[in-house]
Amino acid sequence: MASISVTWMIGISCSCSLPRATHRLQQPCKINSFIAKSEIGRRSDGIRPTSVPISVTNRLAVTLEHHERRKILLISAIGCLIGTLQNSLDNQMAVASEFADMPALRGKDYGKTKMRYPDYMETQSGLQYKDLRVGDGPTPKSGDTVVVDWDGYTIGYYGRIFEARNKTKGGSFEGDDKDFFKFKVGFKEVIPAFEEAIIGMAPGGIRRMIVPPELGYPDNDYNKLGPRPTTFSGQRALDFVLKNQGLIDKTLLFDIELLKVVPS
């Protein structure tokens, strides 16, 4: 009888304790589920907002829209910049091709319109001249040696002087002719303009002439034919215009004064 009651009491105890144990086991699951559900809408600061998912979605949509607009504007700006650079490059290449040294244009005036001066006489070669002072005496002929004083200007480029007339001349045992320029007429010692301009002049006369490139220094080199500038600064000024490959007017202006004619 005692054993039966103990067994019955144990069974009751066991049967009564099982639901409690099961209830205790189920509580952690409910708590964990509640925590998991509550963490879905929780912010990092621990406050649970009411409409967070909708607000975040709207903000993301607006941000993406702004980024898309900026991307489109950036692409458009880059496209415009590339187009501008390409156009500028094409223009520079076109300009470079126009200013490049072309064999077909050597000795020409690079397409520039020749200036006509109404108070100047013009020869068939294109030389324009006028007499500033008429001389007196015999005129030079082919084979004669002439002694001249001269000055020169780059009339087509800011009128820079590269040789001055009436400079102080030094004397020597060779006489007053030493520091003046002299050449033989008809011997191709000077540029064609000088050869042509000296014909018809008399001693004491001064003639001004406008010299186009084809009557000036051959191959744009003042060392090949006279007259040559006597100063370093004059040589630099003349050489800058003659050797420049750009669209620079190479027209020159000379004043030539005939001092003496030495017959051949």
Side-chain angles (χ1 to χ4, degrees):
M1 186 67 179
S3 61
I4 294 173
S5 62
V6 172
T7 303
W8 179 79
M9 292 177 65
I10 294 174
I12 293 174
S13 175
C14 291
S15 62
C16 293
S17 61
L18 285 175
R20 293 180 180 177
T22 304
H23 179 70
R24 291 175 181 174
L25 291 174
Q26 290 177 352
Q27 285 180 351
C29 297
K30 293 181 179 180
I31 293 173
N32 292 336
S33 176
F34 174 77
I35 293 174
K37 291 180 180 178
S38 63
E39 290 293 337
I40 293 175
R42 190 182 298 274
R43 296 203 305 235
S44 60
D45 55 1
I47 301 175
R48 187 178 182 182
T50 56
S51 306
V52 172
I54 298 176
S55 177
V56 170
T57 303
N58 292 338
R59 290 179 182 176
L60 287 175
V62 172
T63 303
L64 290 175
E65 185 179 357
H66 287 174
H67 281 300
E68 191 66 24
R69 289 181 181 176
R70 290 180 181 177
K71 182 178 179 181
I72 293 173
L73 291 175
L74 181 60
I75 293 174
S76 301
I78 292 175
C80 293
L81 180 60
I82 292 175
T84 303
L85 292 176
Q86 182 66 33
N87 188 28
S88 177
L89 181 61
D90 293 341
N91 292 337
Q92 290 180 3
M93 293 178 65
V95 170
S97 64
E98 291 179 0
F99 291 173
D101 184 22
M102 302 179 184
L105 295 179
R106 289 176 184 170
K108 305 298 181 183
D109 58 357
Y110 287 84
K112 293 182 69 66
T113 303
K114 293 181 180 179
M115 295 292 295
R116 295 288 189 271
Y117 299 89
D119 54 339
Y120 282 71
M121 299 290 293
E122 183 174 0
T123 66
Q124 293 182 351
S125 65
L127 178 68
Q128 299 181 69
Y129 73 93
K130 71 175 180 179
D131 288 322
L132 303 180
R133 185 174 69 198
V134 178
D136 185 22
T139 59
K141 58 183 181 296
S142 181
D144 291 347
T145 299
V146 293
V147 181
V148 300
D149 196 7
W150 67 281
D151 55 14
Y153 302 83
T154 59
I155 187 175
Y157 187 72
Y158 297 109
R160 294 180 178 176
I161 186 170
F162 56 89
E163 181 69 13
R165 190 166 53 91
N166 297 326
K167 298 190 303 294
T168 302
K169 312 298 179 183
S172 68
F173 61 89
E174 294 182 9
D176 296 334
D177 299 343
K178 175 179 171 53
D179 293 327
F180 291 98
F181 182 68
K182 53 188 175 182
F183 63 94
K184 278 190 175 184
V185 180
F187 278 67
K188 296 183 178 181
E189 297 176 353
V190 292
I191 60 177
F194 259 61
E195 289 274 13
E196 187 174 358
I198 202 69
I199 301 298
M201 291 186 67
I206 301 175
R207 181 166 288 183
R208 175 168 292 174
M209 53 184 173
I210 308 297
V211 181
E214 57 268 22
L215 297 179
Y217 295 96
D219 300 326
N220 295 321
D221 187 358
Y222 61 77
N223 291 305
K224 291 186 176 182
L225 291 177
R228 184 174 183 269
T230 56
T231 63
F232 178 71
S233 60
Q235 294 171 10
R236 287 188 59 187
L238 179 59
D239 189 64
F240 174 80
V241 173
L242 295 179
K243 296 295 179 63
N244 197 296
Q245 301 298 332
L247 194 60
I248 290 182
D249 189 352
K250 302 181 188 300
T251 303
L252 304 175
L253 182 145
F254 290 92
D255 286 342
I256 179 172
E257 180 181 2
L258 180 58
L259 302 176
K260 183 188 290 189
V261 177
V262 181
S264 56

